[in-house]
Amino acid sequence: MVRIFIIFLLFSLARPVNAEAVDYNSALVNIADSLTSSPQNSEDKLKKLLESWDELTAEQKAKLTFYRAVVQTYKGDYQSSLILLGQAEKLQPDKETLNNIYQHFAANFILLKQYPEAIEFMVTNLSKIEQIDDIETKAGAYVRLANLAYEIGAYQELYEYALTAARLSENNNARQHCFALLYIAVADLKKLNFKNAENGFDYSLQYCRNNGFPLIGSMSLAGLAEVAMHNEDFTNAKLLLEEALLGYQEFNFESQINNVTALLSQTYLRLGHLSLANDFASKVMALDDSVINIGDKAKAAKVLSQLYIESQQYKLAYDYLESHQHYSELILDDTKAKANAYQMAKFKHQEQAREIQLLNQERQLMQTQKELDQSDKTNSLMLVTMLIGSIFFLSLFLLSSHRQKIRYRKLALTDRLTGVYNRGAGQDFAENEFVQICIREAHFSVVVFDLDCFKNINDTFGHGTGDWVLKRVVSVVQPLIRDSDIFARMGGEEFAIFLPYSEADVALEIAERCRMAISNIDTKYSGHVFDVSASFGVASNTFDDLSLDPLLKRADIALYSSKHSGRNCATLYTVELETQQGDEVTQKPLLFSQ
């Protein structure tokens, strides 16, 4: 999807309004407007104003240095941008300019994949969001929170922040409202709510264009194209992507041009325009391996591999397939880094709260000590010494116990072979989620699957190969599900995926994608060559369900139907399945029953 963070910053640049040195302030306003409308013309204006550096005020110097940093980010030189931002910060600008500097620090760190640093700057900038009185400023803060949530893959938080920003910015700030609408659509796309995403992108496209934000409109076009690609409507996707590409080219926005070029190569391949697919994929593969290009190059390498397979140039096809695998692994590592940074930020926040509590306790102890000193210094000293010693040894004991508890809890929750939840933990967490779903009267789906003929693999190639297959299945399925979903090994070769807030059609699509990923596993790395496949059963909750047991039973019936339909397929539960299977199903021991 589009990289929105830097675009939001470019459209939120501070305009100088100081009454002093009017000519220089006008020049700074002109540069800020140029950065949002025609970035390629802004460098000449910056160089011209730099000639008058000694005549500028400290505030004007800070703004000028900040705009130079923005240009470097736009050109992809993020380290140079960070250096300039540090120089701008040292000039001690006003709060609004400093706010923009912190935002841009976070943007550059995200683009460099330095997520802990990015989160730290965002926390610095947004820690007092609830104390903000101005509605426009608060809306902008929530848009920036949505930015960060999008970049680290926290899509439920992205949706919530964007909704808040849209509510605050409606009828107040068209630019912020435009971004909020775009983020709502992006959140729906990432959560696989394709119909809502399509409506959201269409609305944001019309709104942003009508209010004079064509570049954000191009992002909405790219979003509509991704929805069309998910719906296999590649003819419409081609038209949307080509229009979005023209919009990005007007701004010379390189990263988005590369992204759309990669998507067009995939689209041309599906439409049979092989020459165009080759040209566009080759353009992307010619890019350097900088962090911002990795996702696009993964797409392009897969396209070129398919093209060379069709032309029977199998050596080249294999080379590009290896490139695709390499870039895909980099993307997976990056996703893990984002998740780790997010969890560390939450942990740091909790630790800070704990430290504040300990400081308050220490202050109370000091006050107590002072009062005791006034009555009896000797007794007070003994009492405080004993108290401090007790707290010290108790803290050591609690810390040791806490570490042991965390270690044993992790061992108790996860399957030691695959690293996913074990049956007990998976069902417990899923049951808790299901209770919340029932309260909110929302959707909840279950996908269960069982590896086909797994006993034959163990018997033929040994249990070591069987263990390799189980771990490989988990590694290809995990990237296809959301962070909020619960993935558990139920025993042997049996797995379950619990999908909160997902309807049956979404669950069936996820099951089908997982089935295809498992079928595409290349087993040569295990030391043997054989086929791997799985049968899937899918079921969703009804108003009468009071626990997970009925869902698991229906999903198991659907899985049983997949097995009897030839295996390697996904089946959605219907009442007719239970009728067709009759006594055979009811007498069969359920795979996932308690």
Side-chain angles (χ1 to χ4, degrees):
M1 185 51 199
V2 295
R3 184 169 293 282
I4 311 171
F5 200 102
I6 184 61
I7 295 300
F8 172 76
L9 294 177
L10 289 172
F11 275 88
S12 60
L13 299 176
R15 267 55 170 179
V17 294
N18 195 322
E20 299 178 5
V22 175
D23 290 341
Y24 295 134
N25 282 331
S26 298
L28 287 168
V29 170
N30 191 273
I31 291 171
D33 291 335
S34 178
L35 284 169
T36 61
S37 61
S38 182
Q40 60 270 28
N41 298 325
S42 58
E43 284 194 82
D44 292 337
K45 298 177 181 179
L46 284 167
K47 290 178 181 177
K48 184 176 180 180
L49 190 55
L50 275 171
E51 296 174 358
S52 305
W53 177 264
D54 293 336
E55 301 175 22
L56 301 179
T57 65
E59 181 65 29
Q60 291 167 343
K61 290 178 179 179
K63 287 183 170 66
L64 179 58
T65 306
F66 170 66
Y67 295 155
R68 291 175 62 200
V70 171
V71 169
Q72 294 304 314
T73 301
Y74 221 25
K75 293 166 64 176
D77 190 353
Y78 310 126
Q79 292 292 352
S80 296
S81 180
L82 288 173
I83 293 172
L84 288 168
L85 289 171
Q87 295 173 1
E89 184 184 17
K90 290 179 181 178
L91 291 168
Q92 298 181 338
D94 62 26
K95 290 183 178 179
E96 185 176 1
T97 303
L98 190 61
N99 181 58
N100 282 322
I101 289 171
Y102 284 140
Q103 294 171 33
H104 214 73
F105 262 120
N108 281 283
F109 280 126
I110 285 175
L111 292 168
L112 287 167
K113 309 297 183 184
Q114 297 177 16
Y115 301 114
E117 293 86 349
I119 293 175
E120 181 179 349
F121 271 96
M122 290 301 296
V123 169
T124 300
N125 193 34
L126 299 171
S127 59
K128 297 183 179 180
I129 184 173
E130 291 303 325
Q131 301 175 15
I132 298 174
D133 294 325
D134 183 73
I135 293 179
E136 282 193 36
T137 304
K138 181 175 284 191
Y142 273 108
V143 171
R144 290 187 289 275
L145 275 177
N147 264 316
L148 180 59
Y150 166 73
E151 288 295 335
I152 63 177
Y155 300 125
Q156 183 59 36
E157 288 82 356
L158 164 63
Y159 184 75
E160 293 171 358
Y161 295 147
L163 278 179
T164 302
R167 175 177 55 81
L168 292 171
S169 61
E170 188 174 14
N171 302 322
N172 289 316
N173 188 303
R175 172 180 53 80
Q176 291 175 354
H177 196 62
C178 179
F179 273 105
L181 293 176
L182 178 63
Y183 277 127
I184 292 171
V186 170
D188 281 324
L189 176 62
K190 292 298 183 181
K191 294 195 297 182
L192 306 181
N193 298 326
F194 296 122
K195 186 60 179 177
N196 290 345
E198 182 178 14
N199 293 335
F201 282 126
D202 187 60
Y203 182 53
S204 67
L205 172 64
Q206 301 305 320
Y207 182 88
C208 296
R209 281 182 169 177
N210 291 340
N211 285 275
F213 302 108
L215 185 55
I216 313 175
S218 296
M219 293 180 180
S220 298
L221 283 171
L224 285 169
E226 289 202 41
V227 173
M229 293 175 72
H230 279 290
N231 293 332
E232 303 288 323
D233 185 3
F234 291 98
T235 300
N236 188 35
K238 168 184 171 293
L239 298 175
L240 292 166
L241 288 170
E242 289 174 343
E243 185 178 353
L245 181 60
L246 290 175
Y248 290 140
Q249 287 172 340
E250 289 183 12
F251 284 82
N252 195 28
F253 191 17
E254 184 178 348
S255 64
Q256 285 308 112
I257 291 173
N258 296 337
N259 177 256
V260 171
T261 301
L263 292 174
L264 274 170
S265 71
Q266 293 179 315
T267 303
Y268 288 140
L269 176 64
R270 294 300 298 268
L271 291 173
H273 304 331
L274 303 186
S275 178
L276 284 172
N278 180 74
D279 291 345
F280 276 67
S282 297
K283 287 180 183 178
V284 176
M285 291 305 297
L287 300 172
D288 59 48
D289 281 353
S290 60
V291 291
I292 200 170
N293 295 327
I294 296 302
D296 300 330
K297 296 190 75 169
K299 297 183 182 74
K302 186 68 176 292
V303 169
L304 289 172
S305 175
Q306 292 294 324
L307 288 172
Y308 283 120
I309 288 175
E310 295 191 13
S311 62
Q312 298 183 356
Q313 299 182 58
Y314 298 116
K315 177 63 171 63
L316 288 172
Y318 179 78
D319 290 343
Y320 278 110
L321 187 60
E322 281 200 328
S323 296
H324 168 73
Q325 181 67 25
H326 168 68
Y327 292 131
S328 297
E329 289 175 355
L330 291 178
I331 294 170
L332 180 59
D333 291 341
D334 183 53
T335 301
K336 291 179 180 177
K338 291 178 181 179
N340 289 337
Y342 183 56
Q343 293 301 323
M344 286 299 296
K346 290 175 64 177
F347 176 77
K348 183 178 179 181
H349 176 75
Q350 293 170 352
E351 284 296 294
Q352 288 174 342
R354 186 184 64 83
E355 288 177 6
I356 291 173
Q357 184 179 5
L358 289 175
L359 287 172
N360 289 334
Q361 292 175 354
E362 184 178 350
R363 180 171 54 82
Q364 292 175 0
L365 287 174
M366 291 177 65
Q367 182 63 30
T368 302
Q369 180 180 355
K370 183 178 179 180
E371 293 174 357
L372 291 173
D373 282 342
Q374 293 175 354
S375 61
D376 191 343
K377 291 183 179 181
T378 303
N379 292 338
S380 295
L381 180 60
M382 292 178 60
L383 179 61
V384 171
T385 301
M386 293 175 60
L387 185 59
I388 293 176
S390 299
I391 292 175
F392 176 76
F393 288 107
L394 180 60
S395 298
L396 289 178
F397 174 77
L398 291 176
L399 179 60
S400 175
S401 299
H402 181 63
R403 288 178 176 176
Q404 287 289 90
K405 181 179 179 181
I406 291 175
R407 179 171 174 268
Y408 290 131
R409 187 171 185 270
K410 183 176 180 181
L411 291 174
L413 295 179
T414 57
D415 174 58
R416 297 188 67 177
L417 175 64
T418 61
V420 298
Y421 289 126
N422 58 33
R423 176 174 182 155
Q427 286 198 228
D428 286 346
F429 289 145
E431 197 75 52
N432 292 336
E433 285 288 332
F434 185 80
V435 171
Q436 298 299 319
I437 293 293
C438 290
I439 293 173
R440 299 174 183 176
E441 298 183 355
H443 296 283
F444 191 103
S445 297
V446 177
V447 175
V448 298
F449 66 94
D450 178 84
L451 298 185
D452 299 327
C453 304
F454 185 74
K455 184 176 183 300
N456 293 341
I457 295 174
N458 280 331
D459 292 344
T460 305
F461 305 110
H463 288 278
T465 301
D467 290 346
W468 181 91
V469 170
L470 292 172
K471 290 189 286 186
R472 187 61 184 148
V473 165
V474 169
S475 71
V476 301
V477 168
Q478 276 186 318
L480 303 178
I481 61 177
R482 303 165 300 185
D483 293 340
S484 58
D485 299 333
I486 299 169
F487 188 17
R489 182 184 179 192
M490 307 300 280
E493 68 273 25
E494 304 158 5
F495 296 87
I497 306 172
F498 302 93
L499 305 168
Y501 303 100
S502 295
E503 299 182 22
D505 56 345
V506 172
L508 185 61
E509 181 177 349
I510 291 174
E512 185 61 24
R513 285 162 52 196
C514 294
R515 183 193 66 78
M516 292 178 64
I518 293 171
S519 298
N520 290 331
I521 290 176
D522 189 350
T523 60
K524 68 180 181 181
Y525 298 106
S526 70
H528 307 281
V529 177
F530 53 92
D531 293 329
V532 180
S533 66
S535 299
F536 288 73
V538 181
S540 292
N541 63 325
T542 66
F543 180 77
D544 296 326
D545 293 331
L546 299 178
S547 70
L548 279 179
D549 290 341
L551 271 79
L552 287 170
K553 178 180 179 180
R554 295 197 296 271
D556 194 56
I557 291 172
L559 170 60
Y560 185 72
S561 177
S562 293
K563 289 287 188 182
H564 279 258
S565 297
R567 300 187 176 92
N568 194 22
C569 61
T571 303
L572 177 64
Y573 171 83
T574 60
V575 177
E576 289 76 12
L577 283 180
E578 206 162 359
T579 304
Q580 291 170 5
Q581 294 174 8
D583 293 337
E584 183 179 2
V585 172
T586 58
Q587 294 171 8
K588 171 184 170 289
L590 297 179
L591 293 173
F592 301 102
S593 60
Q594 291 289 347

